[in-house]
Amino acid sequence: MKTVAQTLVDWLKIEGVEVIFGIPGVHTIELYRALPGAGIRHVTPRHEASAGFMADGYARVSRHFGVALVITGPGVTNALTPMAQARADSIPILVISGVNRRDTLGKGLGYLHELPDQRAVTKVLGPALHLEDPQALPGLLAHAGRALTSGRPGPVHLEIPLDLMAAKAPPASALARPAAPQPDPAKAKARLRLSKKPVILAGGGCRDAGPELQALAEAMGAPVILTTNARGLMHNHPLAVPASPSLDAVRALIRDSDQLLVVGSELGPTDIDMYATGQLPDLSGMIRIDIDGAQLARHFAALTLQGDAREILPKLHPYAPAADGAERAAETRQAAFAELPAEYQDEVRLLNALRDALPNALFVGDSTQIAYAGNLYYSHDRAGGWFNAATGFGALGYGIGAAVGAALAEPSARVVCLTGDGGLMFHPGELRTAFDEDLDVTFVVFNNEGYGEIAMAMKEAGAEVIGCTPSAPDMRALAQAMGLPYTRATESDLPMIVASGKGPRLVEVKRKNVSEF
């Protein structure tokens, strides 16, 4: 019989895990003892938060849950931010940690890495699982697997007490996938058939349902509004509207429709009310599809269908499409782009040029101005190829680690990390991780010597700009210290420079200094 640690690693292998991101510590030695020979690649970041962000980026590209292996106590608390980001975007990541011996828990005895209740820290973000008996390990792993692979996914924390790491445990088997709900689409189909001006709003739940979404849109003659996490679907399609419902032009399209179909979107404010105006159209007549029953209960809808979009959408095809869908979509695209501030229009033009110079690349962003602009309006050419931390939880420092994870998930893909100097300095050490792993990631750093987006928000609010001008390092020297080639680029020559070489490398674009705002 194998140990708990060996059984856990065996289960990860059975479930198809190929890469683990982690920093070893004295509390996880038994887990690391089990790794050699398992056929799982271990990648060492420089910070546990980066391990979580790498697992997130890996999961988004591989379509498999990512795994972060962290130490007890500070490793877990450092992983909280990426867990929260993953929860906001429905990304499955498994955080495995140790925890102190069972006989010491909750007693405040001052053991190394001690927390009063470690599981209580993570359970607000998702399932927090604790192994109390080695015999219960297979069931606990099944619980974790179901949470990661069915329904609305998100982060899961599994903690193993130190006194159980080397204990003997029964073998774990492959996860039995639960049967998906089988909703009856008849009423929804009838409503769609009667619609003369339908509109579809697609969210991240459509990432794997691109062909089904496009086929239904064409059958309905319906414009398709793509939220941030749906970008890359239906690229350049005449029915696609790659623009945020936060824009008045997109809201007008929704308001003027006679049937709204919402597929795989939580309808969160960072997607549909970025400016917090509260002036959304009435959505109560919508038909809503989501894999999460709890999510369907959060907004009133005329009809709800619970299940996988890939299975439900083909069952909704009406008999005759609306005649003017492409025209309505084109008018909305034009009006939405015109609505953007001039500087955001320039950012979108730059994104378009980068995309055209690097077809089918992965664009991984931080909370930085170009990502904010793209989330408002931008059409990517690859499903799941545009993602960032500028919506949802909004974790600054996300981009570097997530880009590393994305590159490991698909080594043949070109990966472009779009970050600012502020976000870069949260986790600059991960540049060296990209070097260690020899990853094709181009880190594009838009350097304005501070937190430009926040400085502009403070100025627009009439507040004195304070705390937004931390100095940036010499990017050439930083790149050299990390072993990366360095290039200084202007915005006009950035697409050519990014397309002409491979990573890991750092490209700096100087911008107007925050102190000049």
Side-chain angles (χ1 to χ4, degrees):
M1 187 176 288
K2 293 186 176 182
T3 68
V4 165
Q6 290 169 330
T7 299
L8 172 55
V9 171
D10 285 349
W11 178 80
L12 293 174
K13 183 64 176 177
I14 290 170
E15 287 300 312
V17 172
E18 297 179 349
V19 182
I20 286 177
F21 305 93
I23 300 176
V26 294
H27 282 187
T28 53
I29 288 175
E30 287 301 321
L31 291 168
Y32 277 85
R33 189 196 305 276
L35 279 176
I40 298 175
R41 181 177 182 177
H42 182 273
V43 173
T44 306
R46 271 53 177 181
H47 194 281
E48 288 93 356
S50 294
F53 291 142
M54 289 175 186
D56 176 301
Y58 182 91
R60 293 184 196 240
V61 175
S62 69
R63 301 297 200 264
H64 192 281
F65 64 85
V67 180
L69 179 53
V70 302
I71 63 167
T72 311
V76 173
T77 55
N78 282 337
L80 289 175
T81 296
M83 290 179 69
Q85 184 70 49
R87 178 185 180 276
D89 290 344
S90 303
I91 305 301
I93 66 171
L94 174 62
V95 176
I96 302 170
S97 79
V99 71
N100 284 313
R101 292 196 334 257
R102 289 172 295 170
D103 62 347
T104 71
L105 297 180
K107 297 180 180 178
L109 300 174
Y111 279 83
L112 178 66
H113 301 329
E114 183 180 81
L115 284 169
D117 185 346
Q118 180 173 273
R119 201 160 41 130
V121 174
T122 60
K123 71 179 181 181
V124 296
L125 299 173
L129 309 178
H130 171 83
L131 182 66
E132 185 64 27
D133 179 352
Q135 298 301 309
L137 182 61
L140 206 65
L141 295 176
H143 185 169
R146 284 192 294 272
L148 291 162
T149 61
S150 63
R152 184 186 184 190
V156 174
H157 173 217
L158 172 62
E159 63 176 26
I160 309 293
L162 296 185
D163 56 315
L164 293 184
M165 290 275 193
K168 300 301 182 182
S173 56
L175 180 65
R177 312 293 179 192
Q182 298 295 322
D184 182 2
K187 292 182 180 179
K189 189 173 181 178
R191 288 177 68 101
L192 293 174
R193 284 178 176 173
L194 295 174
S195 175
K196 302 299 182 185
K197 298 179 70 176
V199 169
I200 299 173
L201 191 153
C206 289
R207 276 186 294 247
D208 296 324
E212 294 83 0
L213 176 67
Q214 180 172 322
L216 179 61
E218 292 170 348
M220 293 171 59
V224 180
I225 301 164
L226 300 163
T227 66
T228 298
N229 286 328
R231 299 294 171 79
L233 298 172
M234 297 179 63
H235 175 58
N236 279 344
H237 194 285
L239 290 171
V241 180
S244 170
S246 302
L247 297 171
D248 289 340
V250 182
R251 292 181 175 188
L253 178 67
I254 295 172
R255 188 179 301 111
D256 294 342
S257 72
D258 61 2
Q259 183 59 67
L260 177 65
L261 173 64
V262 177
V263 188
S265 173
E266 68 176 355
L267 299 172
T270 57
D271 264 335
I272 67 173
D273 195 17
M274 189 179 296
Y275 298 120
T277 66
Q279 297 175 350
L280 287 169
D282 180 11
L283 304 179
S284 60
M286 66 181 164
I287 300 170
R288 197 164 178 219
I289 300 171
D290 204 281
I291 203 163
D292 182 14
Q295 185 58 245
L296 290 173
R298 292 190 179 114
H299 295 273
F300 182 80
L303 282 172
T304 60
L305 296 169
Q306 183 183 354
D308 191 320
R310 291 171 296 184
E311 298 177 3
I312 295 176
L313 292 177
K315 300 176 181 178
L316 297 180
H317 287 213
Y319 290 128
D324 64 343
E327 180 181 346
R328 288 187 290 140
E331 291 174 352
T332 303
R333 288 194 300 269
Q334 182 178 6
F337 183 78
E339 188 180 329
L340 297 176
E343 60 271 20
Y344 271 25
Q345 291 182 357
D346 290 340
E347 300 281 18
V348 174
R349 293 187 185 102
L350 178 56
L351 285 171
N352 291 339
L354 285 167
R355 176 202 63 213
D356 294 344
L358 283 168
N360 205 40
L362 297 165
F363 283 15
V364 183
D366 216 314
S367 290
T368 192
Q369 185 167 321
I370 194 168
Y372 284 112
N375 288 347
L376 278 174
Y377 189 106
Y378 169 63
S379 179
H380 200 57
D381 64 352
R382 170 181 175 151
W386 168 265
F387 58 91
N388 55 71
T391 62
F393 195 62
L396 189 58
Y398 167 88
I400 305 295
V404 168
L408 284 159
E410 189 174 333
S412 63
R414 301 294 304 275
V415 180
V416 179
C417 177
L418 304 169
T419 187
D421 56 295
L424 169 66
M425 294 313 294
F426 270 51
H427 298 289
E430 306 319 329
L431 298 174
R432 191 66 182 178
T433 306
F435 172 87
D436 286 348
E437 302 298 327
D438 192 24
L439 302 176
D440 185 8
V441 183
T442 298
F443 299 97
V444 180
V445 182
F446 296 92
N447 184 4
N448 57 16
E449 297 278 343
Y451 304 132
E453 195 73 24
I454 304 303
M456 286 191 294
M458 295 176 79
K459 186 175 180 181
E460 290 171 1
E464 183 180 351
V465 178
I466 297 174
C468 293
T469 56
S471 62
D474 181 324
M475 293 296 173
R476 182 187 298 273
L478 176 62
Q480 183 179 14
M482 296 297 175
L484 305 188
Y486 166 88
T487 306
R488 170 78 70 85
T490 65
E491 295 188 8
S492 60
D493 64 14
L494 179 63
M496 180 271 294
I497 288 173
V498 171
S500 62
K502 290 199 170 187
R505 58 182 174 150
L506 189 148
V507 178
E508 179 185 17
V509 180
K510 291 288 287 186
R511 288 195 157 172
K512 182 180 178 181
N513 195 292
V514 170
S515 62
E516 300 173 11
F517 285 9

